[in-house]
Amino acid sequence: MRGNNYNHNQNSRSGNYRNPCLTMHQPWASLLVYGIKRIEGRSWPSPITGRLWIHAASKVPDESTIKAMEYFYKEIHALNGITDIEFPQHYPVSRLLGCVEVVGCLRRDELASWEMVPEGVRLEAQTDYCWLCERPQKLLIPFEMRGYQGVYNLERKIYEAAVRGLSPVNSPLPVKFPLPDPRDPFSLKPGCISALTPNLKATEVDRSSSISLAIAGARAAATQFSKKDQNSQSTEKMNANHEETEIARSYNLRSIRRCTEKDNILSTKLNKKVDNGALPSHHEEKSSYNKSEGSSSHNQSPGADWRQHLQPPTKPPNEQLDQGALQYKEESSCDKYVGSSQHNRSPGVEADFRQYPQPPSKIFAAALKSLKE
């Protein structure tokens, strides 16, 4: 997921757009694809001209937001004699809805002063930059997909399937934006209108109380929606961080539990062998050693060692050393496995064979032999 975001951001900065797409919140996304909305407002100028795919974000709109925006577009279309508007019946989310043609981008004051476009279009100038959209088309079957921030390239497979499912839209009032340079189909850029008419001033539209109320409601809906979106994003980040912490903690506990269970199994097997008499216990061996030492102490030389009374190992010394090294390797691997979470262990969880008394070499060799069998 991180790689996809990086690629999309790189494409946005470099302007390498093959099939540009923009993710928008509902109900604004559907209103644009249906041709009811002619201006897409942003705080940054449009980086592209031409076809722009429209994708609906995953945020489900409130009913009050939908009503406020529908009322706004109903009132501004009424200024141009359009009283019958067929609004979308549904506002799907997480779907690719269709596309529009971006023919240019103007600043808010330029669009509001442009007398060559309908009054209703001029009232849509509510943001710093206004993307001028024409020729909307919608998908007969919206595609489910995930969106990204900014303008990004649509995946090739999705594009190839979507371009075959487009259908023209009968918008309430189709708008053909007049270009400053007829020879350049994409000559509309921020500042171009002001350069052509330096003394351009915003024309006052006769705003009734209903128009003023509609504009205020649209602004309130957009502001309230953006705040909710910011809060939801911060909540999602907090939940993601908490989730990662819980996963790491669970992994450390499982690692400690596995190693502790392994140590307990080995110690249980050794204790069973001692209880069944197959192996003498450490105290019994010590007692037998004391008796032997007491009975033959007068025959011992001053430098005699108690280990000489023990029976020789049943296996050659080399094989005995190999098995001891194998056992040490198994214990070391267990310590390495939980090494990453060693600082998280509690004192009671520490399980190591060092807490058990070390048996003499004879017992150690016999224990290894019985466990192997």
Side-chain angles (χ1 to χ4, degrees), residues 198-213:
N199 298 324
L200 195 62
K201 294 183 180 180
T203 55
E204 292 293 334
V205 179
D206 185 14
R207 299 183 182 180
S208 62
S209 59
S210 59
I211 288 291
S212 300
L213 182 61

Side-chain angles (χ1 to χ4, degrees), residues 255-312:
S255 301
I256 295 172
R257 191 179 297 113
R258 286 196 207 99
C259 189
T260 305
E261 290 176 356
K262 183 177 180 181
D263 292 345
N264 291 337
I265 291 173
L266 291 176
S267 61
T268 303
K269 288 183 179 180
L270 185 60
N271 291 335
K272 284 184 179 180
K273 294 293 182 180
V274 174
D275 295 339
N276 294 334
L279 297 176
S281 66
H282 176 66
H283 297 290
E284 291 175 354
E285 181 65 23
K286 185 175 180 181
S287 176
S288 63
Y289 157 69
N290 291 335
K291 290 181 181 180
S292 175
E293 184 182 18
S295 61
S296 58
S297 59
H298 61 280
N299 295 328
Q300 290 181 358
S301 59
D305 197 302
W306 63 273
R307 284 188 293 270
Q308 65 184 347
H309 299 284
L310 299 176
Q311 296 182 2

Side-chain angles (χ1 to χ4, degrees), residues 126-264:
Q126 302 293 330
T127 54
D128 294 338
Y129 292 93
C130 305
W131 301 11
L132 312 182
C133 302
E134 297 180 354
R135 297 185 291 279
Q137 299 181 78
K138 65 179 181 180
L139 287 173
L140 298 177
I141 301 177
F143 292 171
E144 183 177 4
M145 58 169 279
R146 179 182 179 179
Y148 301 92
Q149 292 183 349
V151 179
Y152 55 93
N153 282 324
L154 201 63
E155 294 182 12
R156 185 173 183 81
K157 292 182 179 179
I158 297 178
Y159 166 77
E160 292 175 350
V163 75
R164 296 192 296 266
L166 288 174
S167 175
V169 173
N170 294 323
S171 56
L173 181 62
V175 177
K176 184 70 175 177
F177 292 96
L179 301 178
D181 186 1
R183 295 171 297 180
D184 183 3
F186 305 122
S187 61
L188 281 175
K189 296 179 181 179
C192 66
I193 300 297
S194 299
L196 294 175
T197 54
N199 298 324
L200 195 62
K201 294 183 180 180
T203 55
E204 292 293 334
V205 179
D206 185 14
R207 299 183 182 180
S208 62
S209 59
S210 59
I211 288 291
S212 300
L213 182 61
I215 294 174
R219 288 177 178 175
T223 304
Q224 184 180 10
F225 196 92
S226 62
K227 288 181 179 180
K228 286 184 179 181
D229 188 51
Q230 291 175 0
N231 293 335
S232 64
Q233 287 180 358
S234 60
T235 303
E236 288 176 1
K237 288 182 181 179
M238 292 176 60
N239 292 338
N241 293 336
H242 179 70
E243 226 175 285
E244 291 178 358
T245 304
E246 291 298 325
I247 292 174
R249 184 180 301 171
S250 176
Y251 175 78
N252 291 337
L253 290 176
R254 285 198 302 269
S255 301
I256 295 172
R257 191 179 297 113
R258 286 196 207 99
C259 189
T260 305
E261 290 176 356
K262 183 177 180 181
D263 292 345
N264 291 337

Side-chain angles (χ1 to χ4, degrees), residues 27-28 30-31 36 62-78 85-91 214 217-218 221:
W28 294 271
S30 290
L31 293 174
I36 301 171
D62 296 333
E63 189 66 27
S64 59
T65 302
I66 295 175
K67 289 182 178 179
M69 296 312 302
E70 289 182 350
Y71 178 69
F72 170 74
Y73 284 102
K74 181 180 179 180
E75 290 296 324
I76 64 174
H77 276 82
I85 300 178
E86 186 177 351
F87 289 101
Q89 296 181 355
H90 304 285
Y91 292 93

